[in-house]
Amino acid sequence: MILQVVGQLPPESTQQAVGYPSLFLLVALGALVPVVPTGALVSSAAVVAFHQTDPFALLVVFGVAASAAFLGDICLYWLGQRGVRSKNGSKWLRAISDRAAPERLAQAQQKLDEHGAVVLVLSRLVPAGRIPVMLACLLGRMPMRRFARADIPACLAWAATYQLIGILGGSLFPEPWQGVVAAVGLTLLISGTPAVWRRIRARFSH
């Protein structure tokens, strides 16, 4: 009975009217406050869109996710720039710094010096890689225009990657909720594996 209730979805028009704005707001918020599992949100939305009859549903999900991620990144970078220019810093710059481990920041700064803005494109595809690279860009005084140019392909690649995970989950299971569970599980596994590996490596290195 519970599975039947979970498997029942509202009409497509309702899903789109509520889902697209919600996806945009949550992804943008997740870019500003990096605790929201935005990858899982995009994959879940892609599963639902995969099962819809609208041929453009997946394209809309991709556009909404990429544009929201870009807007969130730009807002966070702008707030970080204000902190860098301020004598006393800012709570946003401190929040970014607190989420970037010193060794990860050092690696990001080195790679940024060696490869330039290309590192920014790749950082969004690496779990927990976005914040250290963004902080390295801020400390390196990268102009907003240069950051934005590099962030556009980064957000497009990020949205496409997690949407493909959702499409995979949607194609493997007949019911949308089953695909959502599979996609969320896969995205959480992908995002959590590097952290677990770092802890294991640190434990054995001591």
Side-chain angles (χ1 to χ4, degrees), residues 66-77:
S67 58
F70 178 73
L71 176 63
D73 282 356
I74 293 300
C75 291
L76 185 59
Y77 196 76

Side-chain angles (χ1 to χ4, degrees), residues 43 162 164-166 168-169 180-193:
S43 297
Y162 282 99
L164 286 174
I165 294 174
L168 177 62
V180 168
V181 171
V184 170
L186 184 57
T187 54
L188 293 179
L189 178 63
I190 293 174
S191 60
T193 298

Side-chain angles (χ1 to χ4, degrees), residues 51-62:
H51 286 277
Q52 290 181 348
T53 57
D54 184 357
F56 299 105
L58 284 170
L59 184 60
V60 174
V61 169
F62 172 75

Side-chain angles (χ1 to χ4, degrees), residues 10-206:
E12 287 188 13
S13 57
T14 304
Q15 294 177 32
Q16 294 171 355
V18 176
Y20 294 151
S22 299
L23 178 64
F24 185 91
L25 291 174
L26 289 172
V27 171
L29 177 64
L32 282 169
V33 185
V35 294
V36 179
T38 52
L41 290 173
V42 175
S43 297
S44 300
V47 171
V48 176
F50 180 82
H51 286 277
Q52 290 181 348
T53 57
D54 184 357
F56 299 105
L58 284 170
L59 184 60
V60 174
V61 169
F62 172 75
V64 168
S67 58
F70 178 73
L71 176 63
D73 282 356
I74 293 300
C75 291
L76 185 59
Y77 196 76
W78 178 76
L79 291 168
Q81 279 187 320
R82 292 187 62 186
V84 170
R85 290 193 295 264
S86 173
K87 293 182 179 180
N88 300 322
S90 70
K91 64 178 182 179
W92 286 100
L93 183 61
R94 287 192 295 272
I96 298 174
S97 302
D98 291 341
R99 292 189 173 277
E103 63 275 8
R104 298 293 301 277
L105 177 58
Q107 292 175 1
Q109 289 176 319
Q110 180 181 356
K111 292 179 180 178
L112 196 63
D113 291 338
E114 293 175 353
H115 305 288
V118 176
V119 178
L120 182 61
V121 177
L122 299 176
S123 68
R124 257 201 168 272
L125 301 179
V126 178
R130 181 176 69 99
I131 295 301
V133 173
M134 181 180 289
L135 182 58
C137 293
L138 286 169
L139 297 179
R141 302 298 180 109
M142 178 181 288
M144 172 65 79
R145 183 175 298 179
R146 185 184 175 196
F147 175 84
R149 285 201 303 266
D151 198 51
I152 290 175
C155 292
L156 292 174
W158 172 83
T161 299
Y162 282 99
Q163 184 164 7
L164 286 174
I165 294 174
I167 292 173
L168 177 62
S171 62
L172 291 177
F173 299 95
E175 296 294 335
W177 69 268
Q178 295 172 325
V180 168
V181 171
V184 170
L186 184 57
T187 54
L188 293 179
L189 178 63
I190 293 174
S191 60
T193 298
V196 173
W197 170 248
R198 285 195 300 269
R199 290 180 181 178
I200 294 175
R201 188 173 62 178
R203 178 174 298 179
F204 281 96
S205 62
H206 292 314

